[in-house]
Amino acid sequence: MATPGADASAERLDRIVVESTGLERAPAFEVPASVTVVDLRAGNDDANASVSEALDGIPGVLARERQNYAQDTQLSIRGFGARSTFGVRGLRLYADGIPATMPDGQGQISHVSLLDADRIEVMRGPFSALYGNSSGGVVRIIGVDGLDGTDMRAQATFGRDDGRTVGARLRGGGEFVDYAVLAQRFATDGYRDHGAARRTLGNARLQVAIGDAATLRLVANAFDAPDAQDPLGLTRAQLQADPRQAAPAATQFDTRKSVDQTQLGLVYEHAVSADQTLRAMAYAGRRGVEQFLALPVAAQANPLNSGGVIDLAGRYGGTDWRWSWHTELARRPLELSVGLAADRQRQARSGYENFVGDRLGVRGGLRRDERNEVGNVDRYAQAFWQFADRWSLLAGARHSAVRFESRDRYVTAANPDDSGRVDYRETTPVAGLMFSPTQDLRWYVSAGRGFETPTFNEIAYRADGGAGLAFDLRPAVSRTVEVGAKWRSDNGATVNAALFRADTDDELAVARNVGGRSSFRNVGAARRAGIEAALRVPLGEAWHLGAAYTRTDATFRDGFALCSGAGCTTPETVVAAGTRIPGVARDQMSAHVQWEARDWTAVLELEAVGDVTVNDTGSERAAGYALLHLELARQWRVGDGTLRGFVRVDNALDRGHIGSVIVNEGNGRFFEPALGRGVLVGARWDWSAR
């Protein structure tokens, strides 16, 4: 959906200091990095049930809503994260300053509501590496802080397939205390058969002033999604026969997933002096997952098989301490930051058979019992120096130490002890130089090094089908270069463009994907290179135009052998060097025209995505598509509040298309079809008292 201010240099946001840069006094326009800010203060004319709704139109970003709520949004940035078959990986996610990415690199954003968000910041390119493991890009969701007085927002939407969302947010405060609380409920019968889901979440923030120089912010969050049905992917034949059907195995095994999560975070900021600031963050939470897979009963006859039911009970937490100092070097402004971050994730992982006798889709006998732990300790430093009138330098480095450890508690005569440990260490330097030829034009070049360890989900299953964890996987190490330009005008027009290239060694790729169970391997070198551009142009007082385009060539640079077909454990199929990386669209384009006049708003959006390959050999692909979306809204002043009604028509031309793909699915069920024409109607009420 088109969101006012959805560009990094929009007139209301280009001078705001964004959190993604890690700087306290330099706005995004002044740093040599690609950062886009999506302004959500006015609210979204959408369901606000998924973060992906607000990420459309950001260059380099592809957010695929899967119409499968047993899996999280498929999110990729410049080709990183595209292969993920579950959740978000390869990227760093933050909500209200609290990591939504675990220390192993696996992330989830399903517990975040846009109804409670002030803005979203998206960073691409080399400087993402300063966030540590799996920093192919960074997404930060910033919540709405309290204010003097009180305001309230309530919203309800209703759409196709009995999809409905109801939520409310209350915020307020005074001189010393600010607060914001939210509750939201989402439910749907599902676009596809066996696709029903419901989600409930709550969020609360309390900020207290401590004297004149310090603040303490408390953030609490709870999320519950019981028994979300999983329709699985479809083969091409199934897709052509009926795109709304579930795979037969989905109903046979009643494939589903339940998630519940609670977490608590604290952020303390203290202005030690006029030039020095201390920021300390700590968080802790628990997350439970139960998932029923469509793993055939015959496959579980192998004594090394861990069963078709996954049960995860995890606890996680961490802390981040950062000291910032504003001073001068050679009589020029210098901002210096140093910090220490440590995170830990403990997980009890159990596996059970997905049958009892002839009854399928129920928890059966125990087949796996492990205690897994991953932790990291990172040290980082960053400096921003305006060393001349028109020149500035931003440089930094981060050293990460990540340890995975597993203790096997399911040991039998036919299933040996698979306990083990592996350590990864990496230093990721990055630097960028910016030149300002005029007040409203910036040129920059930046380069950096990043790395990506396998996640616990990726080392959970060995590619050879054996028991235990895949401790032989190595981290992927990348070298990224970016050249870019930023321009703005007094009337609010902006243009941002960048050329980028990321070369990766030991690229991680899917080795097998059968019955919802993925195994991975290192496949050598890979490259992601391309161009991205975005513009925003006011067309008079009532109209404005926005557009974005991304071209990404993502290829394997080395050839390798892989498994193809269900049951394969010995790689025999050769992938030639130069083959496209699956899941990455070569071309993306979006454009929108928005009209605002007094109480009316109308938006026309165009979205186009090129084809993607779905397996490493490139023998199958999902066709590209172009979609038209329409939106109309009107607001009325009611007492001290405003009532806004809106209607949105997605895919107005009713184009059939594939919304997301399951990379290397071993049964050929690569395709997840997207919605046809759909109508969403909603109402939002905003009220305030000062």
Side-chain angles (χ1 to χ4, degrees):
M1 108 138 259
T3 303
D7 189 278
S9 302
E11 65 271 23
R12 289 184 292 169
L13 293 168
D14 62 354
R15 292 170 177 81
I16 291 178
V17 178
V18 298
E19 296 183 18
S20 301
T21 64
L23 300 171
E24 294 186 343
R25 298 188 180 179
F29 189 75
E30 304 296 340
V31 297
S34 295
V35 182
T36 297
V37 180
V38 180
D39 184 7
L40 299 173
R41 287 174 293 183
N44 263 10
D45 291 338
D46 216 321
N48 288 315
S50 172
V51 172
S52 65
E53 297 170 8
L55 297 180
D56 293 338
I58 299 178
V61 177
L62 183 58
R64 293 180 177 271
E65 195 56 60
R66 308 177 67 173
Q67 301 307 314
N68 179 351
Y69 294 96
Q71 309 293 342
D72 211 343
T73 297
Q74 255 184 7
L75 179 63
S76 64
I77 296 179
R78 293 182 177 177
F80 287 96
R83 74 168 187 275
S84 179
T85 56
F86 40 81
V88 180
R89 61 103 55 257
L91 313 174
R92 301 296 298 185
L93 310 173
Y94 294 82
D96 287 322
I98 308 301
T101 300
M102 295 296 99
D104 66 342
Q106 179 75 31
Q108 306 283 342
I109 51 175
S110 52
H111 66 290
V112 178
S113 169
L114 295 182
L115 192 64
D116 192 34
D118 179 81
R119 66 187 188 274
I120 298 176
E121 301 172 3
V122 181
M123 175 183 283
R124 288 98 60 205
F127 278 93
S128 303
L130 287 179
Y131 284 82
N133 180 21
S134 293
S135 297
V138 179
V139 178
R140 300 187 69 103
I141 300 103
I142 314 298
V144 177
D145 289 329
L147 73 168
D148 290 338
T150 303
D151 76 11
M152 181 178 180
R153 170 172 291 172
Q155 178 172 304
T157 64
F158 184 82
R160 63 175 303 164
D161 307 310
D162 202 22
R164 59 272 187 202
T165 306
V166 178
R169 183 202 72 204
L170 176 68
R171 65 174 183 169
E175 184 177 357
F176 301 107
V177 177
D178 297 328
Y179 65 89
V181 293
L182 167 128
Q184 187 176 57
R185 170 87 169 187
F186 163 77
T188 179
D189 289 345
Y191 168 66
R192 296 173 57 197
D193 297 338
H194 197 72
R198 63 186 189 276
R199 293 175 172 179
T200 305
L201 66 89
N203 201 67
R205 284 186 303 277
L206 177 67
Q207 182 164 298
V208 180
I210 304 174
D212 296 328
T215 60
L216 179 66
R217 184 167 73 246
L218 170 69
V219 181
N221 178 271
F223 174 76
D224 182 45
D227 294 323
Q229 294 178 329
D230 186 350
L232 303 178
L234 299 178
T235 66
R236 187 171 297 279
Q238 291 168 339
L239 177 72
Q240 292 171 346
D242 180 8
R244 300 192 65 163
Q245 69 175 301
T251 53
Q252 181 184 16
F253 287 93
D254 190 16
T255 49
R256 61 197 187 276
K257 182 179 179 181
S258 297
V259 178
D260 67 276
Q261 174 179 297
T262 56
Q263 67 179 28
L264 185 69
L266 290 169
V267 180
Y268 175 75
E269 296 188 58
H270 185 194
V272 180
S273 68
D275 299 319
Q276 299 184 55
T277 304
L278 174 67
R279 182 184 185 275
M281 182 274 295
Y283 71 100
R286 56 166 295 279
R287 182 179 177 88
V289 178
E290 182 186 50
Q291 185 170 13
F292 288 77
L293 307 176
L295 190 66
V297 173
Q300 298 172 68
N302 183 339
L304 301 180
N305 190 282
S306 57
V309 180
I310 300 171
D311 190 338
L312 304 176
R315 296 184 181 275
Y316 57 89
T319 185
D320 190 324
W321 295 72
R322 186 177 70 205
W323 171 77
S324 299
W325 182 30
H326 304 274
T327 183
E328 291 186 347
L329 177 63
R331 298 185 179 180
R332 293 287 182 174
L334 172 70
E335 180 176 337
L336 176 67
S337 298
V338 296
L340 174 69
D343 305 273
R344 188 167 300 277
Q345 175 186 0
R346 294 182 175 90
Q347 186 182 88
R349 185 183 192 102
S350 302
Y352 299 87
E353 295 170 340
N354 59 358
F355 63 93
V356 175
D358 294 332
R359 187 182 176 195
L360 304 179
V362 295
R363 181 182 293 209
L366 180 68
R367 299 296 298 271
R368 187 172 194 167
D369 187 5
E370 296 168 356
R371 296 299 179 267
N372 298 327
E373 185 173 315
V374 58
N376 69 277
V377 177
D378 290 15
R379 302 169 181 85
Y380 60 89
Q382 179 175 287
F384 179 64
W385 185 31
Q386 296 174 288
F387 61 89
D389 289 340
R390 296 187 176 184
W391 294 88
S392 63
L393 173 69
L394 178 61
R398 189 176 184 115
H399 177 75
S400 301
V402 186
R403 169 173 291 182
F404 290 78
E405 186 172 359
S406 178
R407 296 182 297 278
D408 191 356
R409 298 174 58 174
Y410 183 78
V411 180
T412 69
N415 191 323
D417 188 346
D418 298 302
S419 301
R421 189 180 78 184
V422 63
D423 293 279
Y424 303 113
R425 296 179 182 274
E426 199 66 46
T427 298
T428 54
V430 62
L433 184 68
M434 174 166 277
F435 173 59
S436 307
T438 69
Q439 181 179 355
D440 294 318
L441 178 63
R442 304 291 184 268
W443 293 94
Y444 68 89
V445 58
S446 59
R449 176 184 173 93
F451 82 110
E452 176 184 352
T453 71
T455 68
F456 248 131
N457 280 334
E458 289 172 339
I459 68 173
Y461 305 106
R462 289 165 43 178
D464 61 6
L469 302 183
F471 285 124
D472 60 331
L473 290 177
R474 301 179 299 277
V477 178
S478 61
R479 300 168 302 283
T480 305
V481 178
E482 178 178 317
V483 178
K486 307 177 184 183
W487 174 82
R488 64 188 178 189
S489 70
D490 292 338
N491 71 348
T494 65
V495 177
N496 297 273
L499 293 167
F500 61 88
R501 193 177 90 175
D503 290 303
T504 303
D505 295 327
D506 288 324
E507 176 79 12
L508 287 160
V510 177
R512 296 194 310 158
N513 191 336
V514 180
R517 175 173 293 163
S518 303
S519 58
F520 293 80
R521 58 173 300 194
N522 296 99
V523 297
R527 175 174 293 171
R528 298 165 176 86
I531 183 172
E532 63 183 34
L535 65 85
R536 177 182 172 89
V537 182
L539 304 174
E541 294 185 0
W543 296 82
H544 82 255
L545 168 70
Y549 173 75
T550 304
R551 168 80 177 191
T552 306
D553 284 313
T555 57
F556 296 113
R557 305 297 290 175
D558 291 335
F560 59 94
L562 54 72
C563 274
S564 59
C568 172
T569 58
T570 303
E572 296 175 346
T573 302
V574 176
V575 177
T579 302
R580 290 174 61 182
I581 296 175
V584 181
R586 204 169 251 163
D587 295 285
Q588 295 172 240
M589 191 275 286
S590 65
H592 72 269
V593 177
Q594 182 165 321
W595 169 78
E596 293 183 80
R598 302 187 64 177
D599 297 324
W600 288 91
T601 303
V603 182
L604 182 150
E605 300 174 38
L606 176 64
E607 172 192 2
V609 178
D611 70 332
V612 299
T613 57
V614 300
N615 53 2
D616 287 338
T617 63
S619 61
E620 287 269 13
R621 65 184 58 204
Y625 55 86
L627 307 177
L628 177 68
H629 312 302
L630 305 173
E631 201 174 283
L632 181 66
R634 191 191 192 288
Q635 63 184 26
W636 298 265
R637 188 74 182 176
V638 181
D640 293 329
T642 301
L643 177 64
R644 184 178 182 88
F646 54 89
V647 59
R648 179 177 173 85
V649 182
D650 287 301
N651 191 4
L653 302 180
D654 199 25
R655 300 292 189 188
H657 63 291
I658 298 168
S660 60
V661 298
I662 305 173
V663 172
N664 285 339
E665 212 285 333
N667 298 290
R669 297 192 295 250
F670 303 116
F671 308 109
E672 294 184 305
L675 292 169
R677 183 187 297 115
V679 178
L680 177 83
V681 295
R684 182 171 62 249
W685 179 61
D686 287 285
W687 171 87
S688 63
R690 298 289 188 269

PDB file of all heavy atoms in Angstrom, residues 239-261:
ATOM      1  N   LEU A 239      -1.436 -26.537  -9.225  1.00  0.00           N
ATOM      2  CA  LEU A 239      -1.669 -25.105  -9.361  1.00  0.00           C
ATOM      3  C   LEU A 239      -2.596 -24.814 -10.535  1.00  0.00           C
ATOM      4  O   LEU A 239      -3.527 -24.004 -10.429  1.00  0.00           O
ATOM      5  CB  LEU A 239      -0.330 -24.381  -9.548  1.00  0.00           C
ATOM      6  CG  LEU A 239      -0.384 -22.876  -9.775  1.00  0.00           C
ATOM      7  CD1 LEU A 239      -0.754 -22.165  -8.486  1.00  0.00           C
ATOM      8  CD2 LEU A 239       0.965 -22.360 -10.289  1.00  0.00           C
ATOM      9  N   GLN A 240      -2.361 -25.473 -11.660  1.00  0.00           N
ATOM     10  CA  GLN A 240      -3.180 -25.235 -12.842  1.00  0.00           C
ATOM     11  C   GLN A 240      -4.586 -25.796 -12.676  1.00  0.00           C
ATOM     12  O   GLN A 240      -5.549 -25.235 -13.202  1.00  0.00           O
ATOM     13  CB  GLN A 240      -2.490 -25.849 -14.061  1.00  0.00           C
ATOM     14  CG  GLN A 240      -1.198 -25.145 -14.435  1.00  0.00           C
ATOM     15  CD  GLN A 240      -0.398 -25.882 -15.507  1.00  0.00           C
ATOM     16  OE1 GLN A 240      -0.663 -27.047 -15.793  1.00  0.00           O
ATOM     17  NE2 GLN A 240       0.582 -25.193 -16.088  1.00  0.00           N
ATOM     18  N   ALA A 241      -4.707 -26.884 -11.906  1.00  0.00           N
ATOM     19  CA  ALA A 241      -6.034 -27.487 -11.706  1.00  0.00           C
ATOM     20  C   ALA A 241      -6.899 -26.648 -10.775  1.00  0.00           C
ATOM     21  O   ALA A 241      -8.089 -26.421 -11.047  1.00  0.00           O
ATOM     22  CB  ALA A 241      -5.881 -28.903 -11.158  1.00  0.00           C
ATOM     23  N   ASP A 242      -6.319 -26.176  -9.674  1.00  0.00           N
ATOM     24  CA  ASP A 242      -7.085 -25.396  -8.696  1.00  0.00           C
ATOM     25  C   ASP A 242      -6.117 -24.702  -7.740  1.00  0.00           C
ATOM     26  O   ASP A 242      -5.602 -25.320  -6.808  1.00  0.00           O
ATOM     27  CB  ASP A 242      -8.025 -26.301  -7.897  1.00  0.00           C
ATOM     28  CG  ASP A 242      -8.839 -25.526  -6.865  1.00  0.00           C
ATOM     29  OD1 ASP A 242      -8.778 -24.277  -6.872  1.00  0.00           O
ATOM     30  OD2 ASP A 242      -9.515 -26.173  -6.045  1.00  0.00           O
ATOM     31  N   PRO A 243      -5.827 -23.419  -7.950  1.00  0.00           N
ATOM     32  CA  PRO A 243      -4.845 -22.731  -7.102  1.00  0.00           C
ATOM     33  C   PRO A 243      -5.281 -22.567  -5.648  1.00  0.00           C
ATOM     34  O   PRO A 243      -4.449 -22.272  -4.792  1.00  0.00           O
ATOM     35  CB  PRO A 243      -4.678 -21.369  -7.789  1.00  0.00           C
ATOM     36  CG  PRO A 243      -5.928 -21.175  -8.570  1.00  0.00           C
ATOM     37  CD  PRO A 243      -6.356 -22.543  -9.011  1.00  0.00           C
ATOM     38  N   ARG A 244      -6.577 -22.788  -5.360  1.00  0.00           N
ATOM     39  CA  ARG A 244      -7.044 -22.602  -3.992  1.00  0.00           C
ATOM     40  C   ARG A 244      -7.047 -23.904  -3.189  1.00  0.00           C
ATOM     41  O   ARG A 244      -7.360 -23.896  -2.004  1.00  0.00           O
ATOM     42  CB  ARG A 244      -8.448 -22.001  -3.995  1.00  0.00           C
ATOM     43  CG  ARG A 244      -8.512 -20.645  -4.689  1.00  0.00           C
ATOM     44  CD  ARG A 244      -9.819 -19.932  -4.436  1.00  0.00           C
ATOM     45  NE  ARG A 244     -10.000 -19.586  -3.038  1.00  0.00           N
ATOM     46  CZ  ARG A 244     -10.879 -18.700  -2.588  1.00  0.00           C
ATOM     47  NH1 ARG A 244     -11.663 -18.057  -3.450  1.00  0.00           N
ATOM     48  NH2 ARG A 244     -10.999 -18.451  -1.313  1.00  0.00           N
ATOM     49  N   GLN A 245      -6.665 -24.980  -3.799  1.00  0.00           N
ATOM     50  CA  GLN A 245      -6.659 -26.244  -3.074  1.00  0.00           C
ATOM     51  C   GLN A 245      -5.453 -26.334  -2.153  1.00  0.00           C
ATOM     52  O   GLN A 245      -4.456 -25.630  -2.312  1.00  0.00           O
ATOM     53  CB  GLN A 245      -6.620 -27.410  -4.061  1.00  0.00           C
ATOM     54  CG  GLN A 245      -5.314 -27.551  -4.829  1.00  0.00           C
ATOM     55  CD  GLN A 245      -5.268 -28.788  -5.701  1.00  0.00           C
ATOM     56  OE1 GLN A 245      -5.402 -29.903  -5.199  1.00  0.00           O
ATOM     57  NE2 GLN A 245      -5.100 -28.576  -7.008  1.00  0.00           N
ATOM     58  N   ALA A 246      -5.546 -27.209  -1.167  1.00  0.00           N
ATOM     59  CA  ALA A 246      -4.399 -27.585  -0.350  1.00  0.00           C
ATOM     60  C   ALA A 246      -3.790 -28.846  -0.936  1.00  0.00           C
ATOM     61  O   ALA A 246      -4.475 -29.642  -1.592  1.00  0.00           O
ATOM     62  CB  ALA A 246      -4.829 -27.835   1.091  1.00  0.00           C
ATOM     63  N   ALA A 247      -2.505 -29.020  -0.718  1.00  0.00           N
ATOM     64  CA  ALA A 247      -1.882 -30.272  -1.130  1.00  0.00           C
ATOM     65  C   ALA A 247      -2.560 -31.427  -0.391  1.00  0.00           C
ATOM     66  O   ALA A 247      -2.893 -31.304   0.796  1.00  0.00           O
ATOM     67  CB  ALA A 247      -0.392 -30.241  -0.812  1.00  0.00           C
ATOM     68  N   PRO A 248      -2.820 -32.557  -1.049  1.00  0.00           N
ATOM     69  CA  PRO A 248      -3.506 -33.679  -0.370  1.00  0.00           C
ATOM     70  C   PRO A 248      -2.842 -34.088   0.936  1.00  0.00           C
ATOM     71  O   PRO A 248      -3.536 -34.454   1.897  1.00  0.00           O
ATOM     72  CB  PRO A 248      -3.434 -34.790  -1.420  1.00  0.00           C
ATOM     73  CG  PRO A 248      -3.385 -34.080  -2.733  1.00  0.00           C
ATOM     74  CD  PRO A 248      -2.585 -32.829  -2.482  1.00  0.00           C
ATOM     75  N   ALA A 249      -1.506 -34.012   1.002  1.00  0.00           N
ATOM     76  CA  ALA A 249      -0.815 -34.392   2.239  1.00  0.00           C
ATOM     77  C   ALA A 249      -1.158 -33.459   3.394  1.00  0.00           C
ATOM     78  O   ALA A 249      -1.083 -33.851   4.566  1.00  0.00           O
ATOM     79  CB  ALA A 249       0.695 -34.410   2.011  1.00  0.00           C
ATOM     80  N   ALA A 250      -1.557 -32.210   3.084  1.00  0.00           N
ATOM     81  CA  ALA A 250      -1.885 -31.250   4.142  1.00  0.00           C
ATOM     82  C   ALA A 250      -3.112 -31.695   4.929  1.00  0.00           C
ATOM     83  O   ALA A 250      -3.139 -31.617   6.163  1.00  0.00           O
ATOM     84  CB  ALA A 250      -2.106 -29.868   3.547  1.00  0.00           C
ATOM     85  N   THR A 251      -4.129 -32.153   4.230  1.00  0.00           N
ATOM     86  CA  THR A 251      -5.334 -32.614   4.925  1.00  0.00           C
ATOM     87  C   THR A 251      -5.130 -34.012   5.490  1.00  0.00           C
ATOM     88  O   THR A 251      -5.701 -34.361   6.524  1.00  0.00           O
ATOM     89  CB  THR A 251      -6.529 -32.590   3.969  1.00  0.00           C
ATOM     90  OG1 THR A 251      -6.202 -33.317   2.769  1.00  0.00           O
ATOM     91  CG2 THR A 251      -6.883 -31.159   3.582  1.00  0.00           C
ATOM     92  N   GLN A 252      -4.332 -34.815   4.829  1.00  0.00           N
ATOM     93  CA  GLN A 252      -4.082 -36.163   5.312  1.00  0.00           C
ATOM     94  C   GLN A 252      -3.415 -36.151   6.676  1.00  0.00           C
ATOM     95  O   GLN A 252      -3.774 -36.906   7.583  1.00  0.00           O
ATOM     96  CB  GLN A 252      -3.208 -36.918   4.310  1.00  0.00           C
ATOM     97  CG  GLN A 252      -2.904 -38.366   4.709  1.00  0.00           C
ATOM     98  CD  GLN A 252      -1.957 -39.030   3.728  1.00  0.00           C
ATOM     99  OE1 GLN A 252      -1.296 -38.371   2.921  1.00  0.00           O
ATOM    100  NE2 GLN A 252      -1.903 -40.356   3.778  1.00  0.00           N
ATOM    101  N   PHE A 253      -2.427 -35.245   6.860  1.00  0.00           N
ATOM    102  CA  PHE A 253      -1.687 -35.166   8.125  1.00  0.00           C
ATOM    103  C   PHE A 253      -2.120 -33.971   8.980  1.00  0.00           C
ATOM    104  O   PHE A 253      -1.510 -33.720  10.022  1.00  0.00           O
ATOM    105  CB  PHE A 253      -0.186 -35.073   7.848  1.00  0.00           C
ATOM    106  CG  PHE A 253       0.432 -36.354   7.376  1.00  0.00           C
ATOM    107  CD1 PHE A 253       0.552 -36.638   6.032  1.00  0.00           C
ATOM    108  CD2 PHE A 253       0.890 -37.297   8.295  1.00  0.00           C
ATOM    109  CE1 PHE A 253       1.116 -37.834   5.587  1.00  0.00           C
ATOM    110  CE2 PHE A 253       1.467 -38.479   7.868  1.00  0.00           C
ATOM    111  CZ  PHE A 253       1.575 -38.753   6.518  1.00  0.00           C
ATOM    112  N   ASP A 254      -3.144 -33.240   8.535  1.00  0.00           N
ATOM    113  CA  ASP A 254      -3.624 -32.060   9.264  1.00  0.00           C
ATOM    114  C   ASP A 254      -2.432 -31.158   9.623  1.00  0.00           C
ATOM    115  O   ASP A 254      -2.210 -30.810  10.785  1.00  0.00           O
ATOM    116  CB  ASP A 254      -4.378 -32.471  10.529  1.00  0.00           C
ATOM    117  CG  ASP A 254      -5.101 -31.304  11.176  1.00  0.00           C
ATOM    118  OD1 ASP A 254      -5.272 -30.262  10.507  1.00  0.00           O
ATOM    119  OD2 ASP A 254      -5.469 -31.412  12.361  1.00  0.00           O
ATOM    120  N   THR A 255      -1.658 -30.768   8.641  1.00  0.00           N
ATOM    121  CA  THR A 255      -0.474 -29.939   8.865  1.00  0.00           C
ATOM    122  C   THR A 255      -0.879 -28.597   9.466  1.00  0.00           C
ATOM    123  O   THR A 255      -1.783 -27.927   8.967  1.00  0.00           O
ATOM    124  CB  THR A 255       0.281 -29.723   7.545  1.00  0.00           C
ATOM    125  OG1 THR A 255      -0.648 -29.297   6.538  1.00  0.00           O
ATOM    126  CG2 THR A 255       0.962 -31.009   7.109  1.00  0.00           C
ATOM    127  N   ARG A 256      -0.181 -28.201  10.521  1.00  0.00           N
ATOM    128  CA  ARG A 256      -0.532 -26.997  11.257  1.00  0.00           C
ATOM    129  C   ARG A 256       0.635 -26.576  12.142  1.00  0.00           C
ATOM    130  O   ARG A 256       1.582 -27.341  12.359  1.00  0.00           O
ATOM    131  CB  ARG A 256      -1.779 -27.228  12.114  1.00  0.00           C
ATOM    132  CG  ARG A 256      -1.608 -28.328  13.155  1.00  0.00           C
ATOM    133  CD  ARG A 256      -2.950 -28.806  13.675  1.00  0.00           C
ATOM    134  NE  ARG A 256      -2.844 -29.749  14.792  1.00  0.00           N
ATOM    135  CZ  ARG A 256      -2.650 -31.056  14.632  1.00  0.00           C
ATOM    136  NH1 ARG A 256      -2.538 -31.577  13.423  1.00  0.00           N
ATOM    137  NH2 ARG A 256      -2.606 -31.855  15.696  1.00  0.00           N
ATOM    138  N   LYS A 257       0.533 -25.358  12.654  1.00  0.00           N
ATOM    139  CA  LYS A 257       1.599 -24.816  13.497  1.00  0.00           C
ATOM    140  C   LYS A 257       0.996 -23.910  14.553  1.00  0.00           C
ATOM    141  O   LYS A 257       0.106 -23.100  14.266  1.00  0.00           O
ATOM    142  CB  LYS A 257       2.593 -24.026  12.627  1.00  0.00           C
ATOM    143  CG  LYS A 257       3.783 -23.446  13.366  1.00  0.00           C
ATOM    144  CD  LYS A 257       4.687 -22.720  12.379  1.00  0.00           C
ATOM    145  CE  LYS A 257       5.886 -22.098  13.043  1.00  0.00           C
ATOM    146  NZ  LYS A 257       6.737 -21.379  12.058  1.00  0.00           N
ATOM    147  N   SER A 258       1.478 -24.041  15.786  1.00  0.00           N
ATOM    148  CA  SER A 258       1.059 -23.174  16.892  1.00  0.00           C
ATOM    149  C   SER A 258       2.279 -22.444  17.434  1.00  0.00           C
ATOM    150  O   SER A 258       3.342 -23.050  17.614  1.00  0.00           O
ATOM    151  CB  SER A 258       0.406 -24.000  18.007  1.00  0.00           C
ATOM    152  OG  SER A 258      -0.772 -24.624  17.559  1.00  0.00           O
ATOM    153  N   VAL A 259       2.108 -21.150  17.702  1.00  0.00           N
ATOM    154  CA  VAL A 259       3.196 -20.328  18.233  1.00  0.00           C
ATOM    155  C   VAL A 259       2.655 -19.480  19.367  1.00  0.00           C
ATOM    156  O   VAL A 259       1.562 -18.892  19.258  1.00  0.00           O
ATOM    157  CB  VAL A 259       3.789 -19.395  17.150  1.00  0.00           C
ATOM    158  CG1 VAL A 259       4.883 -18.519  17.747  1.00  0.00           C
ATOM    159  CG2 VAL A 259       4.326 -20.193  15.978  1.00  0.00           C
ATOM    160  N   ASP A 260       3.377 -19.426  20.473  1.00  0.00           N
ATOM    161  CA  ASP A 260       3.065 -18.452  21.523  1.00  0.00           C
ATOM    162  C   ASP A 260       4.378 -17.857  22.004  1.00  0.00           C
ATOM    163  O   ASP A 260       5.389 -18.543  22.136  1.00  0.00           O
ATOM    164  CB  ASP A 260       2.291 -19.087  22.675  1.00  0.00           C
ATOM    165  CG  ASP A 260       3.123 -20.094  23.447  1.00  0.00           C
ATOM    166  OD1 ASP A 260       3.204 -21.262  23.008  1.00  0.00           O
ATOM    167  OD2 ASP A 260       3.701 -19.704  24.486  1.00  0.00           O
ATOM    168  N   GLN A 261       4.352 -16.553  22.232  1.00  0.00           N
ATOM    169  CA  GLN A 261       5.573 -15.834  22.593  1.00  0.00           C
ATOM    170  C   GLN A 261       5.255 -14.698  23.550  1.00  0.00           C
ATOM    171  O   GLN A 261       4.253 -13.989  23.384  1.00  0.00           O
ATOM    172  CB  GLN A 261       6.238 -15.268  21.331  1.00  0.00           C
ATOM    173  CG  GLN A 261       7.453 -14.377  21.611  1.00  0.00           C
ATOM    174  CD  GLN A 261       8.081 -13.864  20.331  1.00  0.00           C
ATOM    175  OE1 GLN A 261       8.579 -14.634  19.518  1.00  0.00           O
ATOM    176  NE2 GLN A 261       8.044 -12.543  20.133  1.00  0.00           N
TER     177      GLN A 261
END
